[in-house]
Amino acid sequence: MTGEIVIVGAGLCGARAAFALRERGFSGHVTLVGEEVHLPYERPPLSKPSTAGPPVPQLVAARQAYDDAGIELLTGHCVTRIDRAAKRLVLSDAGSLGYDRLLLATGARPRRLPNLTASRLLLTLRTHGDAERIAARLVPGRRLVVIGGGFIGLELSAMARQAGAEVTVVEGQARLLARAVPAEIAALVEARHRQAGTRILLDAGVAAIDETEDEITVSLVDGTHVTGDVAVLGIGAVPNTELAEAAGLWLENGIAVDEYLTSSDPDIFAAGDCCSFPLALYGNKRIRLESWRSAQDQGSLVAANLLGARSPVGHVPWFWSDQFDLTLQIAGLADTATRAVRRELGDNAVILFHLEESGRLVAASAIGPGNTVARDVRLAEMLIAARAYPDPLALASPDIRLKSLLAA
Ligand SMILES: Cc1cc2nc3c(=O)[nH]c(=O)nc-3n(C[C@H](O)[C@H](O)[C@H](O)COP(=O)(O)OP(=O)(O)OC[C@H]3O[C@@H](n4cnc5c(N)ncnc54)[C@H](O)[C@@H]3O)c2cc1C
């Protein structure tokens, strides 16, 4: 196939899609446009401790690889409008690009608190630039206030404690990780953070934020205050849908696509953090994921579909998080589960299997030091993909190998 394929958003998903087009033999023109100045890079390392020194972007591929693959990479360029009738994109520098098929891989950005404008000492963490600004402030004795006890906030807190900063986490809910992690596992995470000396305030709604020249004060709804040298807002992300919305595409918690990642315009596709899609494995429930593996897998899949294949999204959702010496992994979607079966994995590692009323395994969540849970979560993922109804007693028993349940 020949023609012009343009990808908007040079993150992991966009870059993976560009390379996958070439791997599938596409010989037409591929243009990858990204507003960030860096080559496409991985975001997970931004909130994981690295060796000393300022953060360095972990690139998806070196510059040469784009040249070798014949991918035209336009960094530092923002696409401001899609003219669907003319099949052209308008760029911020007033240039324009024509397309035959378009992929929107515009990702997501940090959610802000309503009525709160950006301030000098209140930061967010999404880009390499954000990570540099935060890293410069994480020095021994500095006070960091993290607003939000979700994944990004907790990974950052762990990183800050390891750098010797004093950390307070302010969470509006009654527990940490309330959105995505079962209470039993969230409690283990909380204990590890407290053990490391992090102050955790739960049920702590933010009423106001004020800053002076060198201090920021977070006032809570109960009338108390937390003061820090810097604060980071980690209250989730919102998908970048403005381009799609202005172009009249269907939106629903992101750019709404079908199972082939096609938007409401058959020549425009969307993938990665910016899109919501129906997942057959869960009765076509429409979901949007913010996950490294999903961005990577959807980048490859959408390349095939841009070239005319009809490959549906079928991956089991999977996410990991590293905090201190602990790794947490979640496979599947637990929303429809009515009970959890616990299996001890040794080395203080544990896995919970989430079962529906019918007995079908729909999700697994696990936590343990280092890589201890990886193998079991991988097997659970295979059981979930196989729509298995494993015996709960067998799931609970560490003596029965998960692999044998798969064979059954
Ligand atoms: C700090 C951090 C830690 C993370 N850790 C983990 C983890 O441990 N495990 C895990 O599974 N996931 C993790 N994630 C999530 C994972 O990184 C994301 O799911 C993944 O980056 C999504 O890739 P994407 O390409 O869809 O979007 P993005 O990475 O957001 O890339 C989208 C790109 O599009 C650009 N763009 C947007 N609009 C335009 C436009 N109009 N014109 C041009 N360019 C545009 C943006 O600037 C951005 O560079 C983490 C994310 C962050 C921020």
Side-chain angles (χ1 to χ4, degrees), residues 7-15 33-36 41-48 74 77-81 105-109 125-127 151-152 155 240 243 271-274 289-296 318-322:
I7 301 169
V8 182
L12 172 63
C13 183
V33 194
E35 65 184 334
E36 292 187 63
Y41 59 89
E42 307 267 357
R43 295 189 198 278
L46 301 180
S47 53
K48 319 280 186 294
L74 302 178
H77 284 78
C78 183
V79 174
T80 54
R81 196 163 66 83
T106 49
R109 61 175 180 275
L125 176 54
R126 180 81 193 176
T127 66
F151 286 114
I152 302 267
E155 288 192 355
N240 292 323
L243 263 187
D273 281 17
C274 69
L289 299 173
E290 290 166 13
S291 127
W292 174 89
R293 196 207 270 172
S294 163
Q296 163 124 326
W318 179 86
F319 184 90
W320 98 97
S321 172
D322 294 332

Side-chain angles (χ1 to χ4, degrees), residues 9-11 31-41 63 66 72-78 91-93:
T31 311
L32 177 58
V33 194
E35 65 184 334
E36 292 187 63
V37 291
H38 298 285
L39 294 175
Y41 59 89
R63 168 94 239 179
Y66 294 88
E72 189 172 349
L73 178 58
L74 302 178
T75 51
H77 284 78
C78 183
L91 305 183
S92 47
D93 64 4

Side-chain angles (χ1 to χ4, degrees), residues 365-383:
S365 38
I367 190 166
N371 222 14
T372 43
V373 302
R375 190 172 161 278
D376 292 270
V377 174
R378 177 80 198 116
L379 288 164
E381 210 182 314
M382 291 161 84
L383 284 166

Side-chain angles (χ1 to χ4, degrees), residues 202-225:
L202 300 172
D203 281 323
V206 173
I209 298 181
D210 301 288
E211 69 180 48
T212 61
E213 187 54 33
D214 50 12
E215 273 191 347
I216 182 160
T217 299
V218 179
S219 303
L220 305 178
V221 287
D222 67 1
T224 59
H225 310 277

Side-chain angles (χ1 to χ4, degrees), residues 45 57-58 150 191 231 249 311 315 319 328 345 348 374 393 395 400 405:
Q58 188 179 311
L249 298 180
S311 303
H315 309 288
F319 184 90
L328 200 151
L345 299 177
N348 287 326
L393 287 175
L395 284 177
I400 298 179
L405 300 182

Side-chain angles (χ1 to χ4, degrees), residues 95-119:
S96 74
L97 284 172
Y99 67 84
D100 294 307
R101 286 206 152 168
L102 175 64
L103 169 61
L104 298 175
T106 49
R109 61 175 180 275
R111 187 186 299 281
R112 306 254 166 202
L113 281 170
N115 309 325
L116 200 82
T117 47
S119 81

